[in-house]
Amino acid sequence: MIVLLNGPPGAGKDTAATIIRNLLPETKDYKISKPLKEGIITIFGLPRTFLSTLEEDKDLPSTVLNGMTYREVQIRLFKDFIEPCFGSEAMGEFAIRGIMNIPAKHVTVSDAGISKELIPILNHFGRDKVALLEIDRPGKTFIGDIRQWIDEDIPFIYKEKINNQFDEDMFAIQIKKVLDKWNLLPKDG
């Protein structure tokens, strides 16, 4: 199963991916933005080890990125190069190849947020193999980000929305309930 995680920056998508990996054996994470991140490292001639620093400070201007934020550079690379050259679904098409190369039973995609990118994934893997978990959190919005809530008319068989307004233990309980509803949790005995 591919579990797409959608929500504004800071809503808890990466935390949700970690919780899912802890609950479901043989689960790995994939980022739709992976090609953009690898491109930035190459374009700016940065060591791969610098990626974690960029991720931690993704909304702060960086001298190594000519004064832009890491998020801004990713958006510009997508908007000014990927989308005009390869189309609005390109990142989803790239993701198919990336996901297919992951040796895991389940894959979380912790940065789903552009509806057109998800259509190729849904079509390739099938509606019964792709789920959408939307995560909302008070005070978190999509302002300044390219991602948005996924269009309501996309036909996911498995789709839930949870509100991450409590502590991490309660968040984990909410996620576990969703995975149980989707019959993904391993059966005991």
Side-chain angles (χ1 to χ4, degrees):
M1 178 68 68
I2 299 166
V3 180
L4 305 169
L5 301 168
N6 175 232
K13 297 178 300 295
D14 288 325
T15 301
T18 300
I19 291 167
I20 292 169
R21 282 193 307 273
N22 290 335
L23 291 169
L24 296 179
E26 301 178 58
T27 300
K28 302 277 186 201
D29 192 47
Y30 180 81
K31 298 253 189 220
I32 290 176
S33 61
K34 182 179 182 201
L36 298 174
K37 293 172 183 193
E38 290 179 359
I40 290 167
I41 290 295
T42 302
I43 291 166
F44 287 91
L46 301 171
R48 189 164 295 286
T49 55
F50 200 72
L51 212 73
S52 61
T53 302
L54 290 173
E55 286 289 335
E56 287 174 21
D57 300 328
K58 66 180 121 196
D59 292 312
L60 297 176
S62 173
T63 55
V64 299
L65 301 176
N66 295 0
M68 294 178 74
T69 70
Y70 186 46
R71 188 183 308 275
E72 287 171 332
V73 175
Q74 288 181 68
I75 291 169
R76 293 284 32 112
L77 186 55
F78 173 73
K79 284 292 206 181
D80 296 342
F81 177 67
I82 300 291
E83 190 174 42
C85 291
F86 304 105
S88 58
E89 294 181 354
M91 296 302 290
E93 292 165 0
F94 301 158
I96 291 168
R97 289 189 287 263
I99 292 168
M100 288 175 57
N101 288 318
I102 296 175
K105 183 176 181 180
H106 305 288
V107 175
T108 56
V109 177
S110 57
D111 63 349
I114 298 177
S115 297
K116 288 182 180 181
E117 295 174 348
L118 304 183
I119 300 299
I121 296 170
L122 193 62
N123 289 340
H124 180 83
F125 293 103
R127 289 181 54 203
D128 61 330
K129 300 284 189 257
V130 182
L132 176 64
L133 178 57
E134 295 177 313
I135 303 167
D136 200 0
R137 188 174 197 173
K140 302 298 178 183
T141 69
F142 286 103
I143 294 173
D145 195 47
I146 196 170
R147 296 169 294 180
Q148 296 294 324
W149 292 112
I150 300 304
D151 292 341
E152 290 289 322
D153 57 345
I154 296 179
F156 290 98
I157 290 177
Y158 305 108
K159 180 180 177 181
E160 291 292 326
K161 188 171 195 169
I162 59 176
N163 196 334
N164 181 11
Q165 62 182 352
F166 306 104
D167 62 19
E168 193 171 321
D169 290 336
M170 183 57 78
F171 189 41
I173 290 169
Q174 290 176 292
I175 291 169
K176 186 175 182 179
K177 284 183 181 180
V178 170
L179 296 178
D180 188 43
K181 182 177 179 179
W182 292 346
N183 293 313
L184 293 179
L185 293 177
K187 304 297 179 212
D188 294 331

